[in-house]
């Protein structure tokens, strides 16, 4: 039997009562292991890597919130850096820290970010390619997963989602998307990744 895909999201952070990534992933109907991570440097990545070790997924897609984005944004890169003016949910503040002391400055996602964007746009979703997953916990998880999976042939990547409509009362004027729409977009992204895997002989 083929192994399943691992789909991760994050719990709410930064004073929000929900995280669109978690809400959308909950509603994804594709067959996948789902995992909700704390917004904590290092710890979130460890939890994801432990799950990869035990579940041996055929692909990994991590999902997070990027308030201010105006569509669904597959990430092209992760950088070897933890740096934010905001502490994580455990109160840890990281300034200019490397994630992997022996890792390269930048890693490229290999889940087909461009292909996913094309498939999403073709299907009518608002989506565009992102060239920066930031330097906070989402990037930490993405970099750690890519670094751990290097050379294994298991593709991995990250998709940032904009605020969901329910969050807009705290963010007047910001772009918002419907959670169900984001869930359908994630299903389309999963389908695109799965189709590419099926093409590998
Ligand atoms: N977004 C944050 C961390 C958790 C999340 O959903 C980020 O972009 O780093």
């Amino acid at each position: 039997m083929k192994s399943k895909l691992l789909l991760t999201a994050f719990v709410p952070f930064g004073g929000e009562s929900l995280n669109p990534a978690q809400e959308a992933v909950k509603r994804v109907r594709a067959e996948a292991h789902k995992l909700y991570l704390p917004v904590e440097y290092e710890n979130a990545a460890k939890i994801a890597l432990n799950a990869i070790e035990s579940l041996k997924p055929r692909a990994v897609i991590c999902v997070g919130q990027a308030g201010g984005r105006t569509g669904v944004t597959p990430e092209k890169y992760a950088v070897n850096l933890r740096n934010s003016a905001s502490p994580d949910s455990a109160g840890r503040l990281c300034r200019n820290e490397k994630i992997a002391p022996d890792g390269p400055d930048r890693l490229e996602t290999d889940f087909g970010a461009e292909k996913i964007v094309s498939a999403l746009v073709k299907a009518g979703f608002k989506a565009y390619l992102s060239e920066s997953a930031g330097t906070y916990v989402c990037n930490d998880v993405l970099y750690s997963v890519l670094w751990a999976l290097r050379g294994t042939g298991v593709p991995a990547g990250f998709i940032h989602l904009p605020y969901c409509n329910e969050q807009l009362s705290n963010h007047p004027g910001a772009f918002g998307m419907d959670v169900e729409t984001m869930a359908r977009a994630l299903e389309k992204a999963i389908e695109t990744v799965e189709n590419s895997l099926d093409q590998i002989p």
Side-chain angles (χ1 to χ4, degrees):
M1 202 183 81
K2 278 182 188 168
S3 64
K4 283 196 252 177
L5 179 133
L6 175 65
L7 190 60
T8 77
F10 288 92
V11 300
F13 70 106
E16 299 290 330
S17 56
L18 48 82
N19 189 319
Q22 184 177 35
E23 296 307 313
V25 164
K26 270 191 214 163
R27 289 164 176 79
V28 163
R29 297 168 303 202
E31 252 213 72
H33 298 285
K34 296 178 182 178
L35 185 63
Y36 306 110
L37 304 170
V39 183
E40 294 173 20
Y41 290 115
E42 225 169 326
N43 196 23
K46 266 188 199 149
I47 296 169
L49 295 183
N50 283 340
I52 290 169
E53 176 88 29
S54 60
L55 300 169
K56 311 228 178 311
R58 62 197 305 242
V60 181
I61 302 180
C62 306
V63 189
Q65 163 190 312
R69 297 251 173 114
T70 55
V72 174
T73 49
E75 297 291 347
K76 179 85 177 150
Y77 304 107
V79 291
N80 192 1
L81 182 64
R82 298 186 182 120
N83 187 48
S84 174
S86 309
D88 70 6
S89 298
R92 176 168 166 194
L93 185 71
C94 288
R95 282 306 209 179
N96 229 356
E97 270 183 33
K98 272 194 179 231
I99 296 167
D102 52 343
D105 287 346
R106 188 170 85 162
L107 290 170
E108 200 171 322
T109 58
D110 55 1
F111 72 150
E114 285 95 343
K115 242 191 200 174
I116 296 170
V117 172
S118 306
L120 288 174
V121 170
K122 201 170 153 208
F125 295 101
K126 225 176 160 218
Y128 56 97
L129 187 71
S130 167
E131 289 173 27
S132 172
T135 50
Y136 193 46
V137 180
C138 289
N139 173 73
D140 187 338
V141 168
L142 176 59
Y143 187 94
S144 305
V145 168
L146 290 172
W147 185 232
L149 286 176
R150 68 191 184 282
T152 62
V154 177
F158 199 101
I159 300 178
H160 263 121
L161 299 177
Y163 288 131
C164 60
N165 291 333
E166 291 76 3
Q167 292 174 287
L168 295 186
S169 50
N170 294 329
H171 304 282
F175 178 84
M177 225 166 156
D178 179 62
V179 167
E180 285 295 337
T181 304
M182 293 196 272
R184 298 296 85 76
L186 292 178
E187 287 167 5
K188 176 53 80 180
I190 291 168
E191 185 192 306
T192 309
V193 172
E194 297 273 8
N195 285 344
S196 305
L197 284 172
D198 289 341
Q199 279 159 26
I200 299 169

